[in-house]
Amino acid sequence: IFINSVESGVHLENYVLKMFCRELLISGSDEDFLSVSDVFINKLQNEYTQQDCLEAVACVLARIYRLTGNVNDFFKTALKNIAVTPCSEICMELGNYFFDAGDYAEAVLWFINAAAETESILEIRTSGDLPLYRLADCYEKLSRQAEESGDTETAAVYENNRLEYLKQAKNWELPEELI
């Protein structure tokens, strides 16, 4: 409905645009993001001027650029957000980028930023259990790498970190004011 409206020339109200972006981030598959990429890249990113709309569009664009391997536009989009008012959604995208690149130590930094240093603007779980689960994933990879290189002591530390973040993720609950 949203895409058909935009493609037929309808200007979405600010709250509708943010709702669309929120829905994509909460329940959209990679294919969903790819299917709306043309509309976001060619129309929506240039159509809105209100800061919260620009931030919402940036979150979707960062995911689209990461999924399509458009590294230059991914970092332009992400770094503009980080320079102004960082949000957990963009920190998650940066963490996922570095995780996919195999740079797990850098991914840890961005997932920690998502979990503890920034606030979500669209998807509350991006500052809650989602980065905690991804931290557990990072420490699992780091533990394996340390073990493969013969550093069992570091591997054990990483494994303990993995278990701790997994526990935190499983115990995370929505903030009381959102229930």
Side-chain angles (χ1 to χ4, degrees):
I1 295 173
F2 294 108
I3 296 301
N4 290 341
S5 297
V6 171
E7 287 177 338
S8 67
V10 173
H11 177 81
L12 300 178
E13 293 292 327
N14 291 350
Y15 78 93
V16 175
L17 172 68
K18 291 184 291 188
M19 182 174 54
F20 178 43
C21 294
R22 181 175 290 115
E23 254 332 285
L24 272 171
L25 287 169
I26 291 172
S27 59
S29 66
D30 290 351
E31 292 77 26
D32 292 332
F33 279 88
L34 296 175
S35 73
V36 300
S37 64
D38 196 45
V39 169
F40 271 84
I41 292 168
N42 295 319
K43 280 191 154 212
L44 295 179
Q45 77 171 329
N46 301 315
E47 202 171 303
Y48 293 85
T49 58
Q50 191 174 345
Q51 187 62 31
D52 58 343
C53 290
L54 294 172
E55 290 171 349
V57 169
C59 292
V60 173
L61 284 172
R63 172 86 52 94
I64 290 168
Y65 292 141
R66 181 176 62 80
L67 292 173
T68 59
N70 187 337
V71 176
N72 191 43
D73 285 335
F74 170 76
F75 278 106
K76 284 195 299 188
T77 302
L79 293 175
K80 285 176 190 170
N81 174 270
I82 295 299
V84 180
T85 307
C87 65
S88 59
E89 290 86 352
I90 294 292
C91 290
M92 284 291 297
E93 287 304 319
L94 286 160
N96 284 321
Y97 170 84
F98 287 109
F99 186 91
D100 293 344
D103 190 343
Y104 308 114
E106 187 66 19
V108 164
L109 169 75
W110 290 106
F111 292 133
I112 287 173
N113 283 337
E117 302 296 330
T118 58
E119 294 182 15
S120 59
I121 60 170
L122 295 170
E123 176 19 339
I124 189 68
R125 293 181 59 215
T126 61
S127 59
D129 64 328
L130 294 178
L132 297 172
Y133 279 118
R134 295 302 281 154
L135 282 161
D137 294 340
C138 289
Y139 281 112
E140 180 178 20
K141 298 284 191 180
L142 289 167
S143 179
R144 280 192 198 144
Q145 287 177 343
E147 201 164 282
E148 288 170 4
S149 70
D151 189 350
T152 56
E153 188 176 317
T154 301
V157 169
Y158 288 152
E159 179 60 17
N160 285 337
N161 288 350
R162 182 187 77 80
L163 293 173
E164 178 57 33
Y165 282 117
L166 197 55
K167 177 182 169 186
Q168 288 179 32
K170 288 179 180 178
N171 292 329
W172 182 83
E173 295 178 1
L174 278 173
E176 192 71 27
E177 63 271 12
L178 297 176
I179 296 176

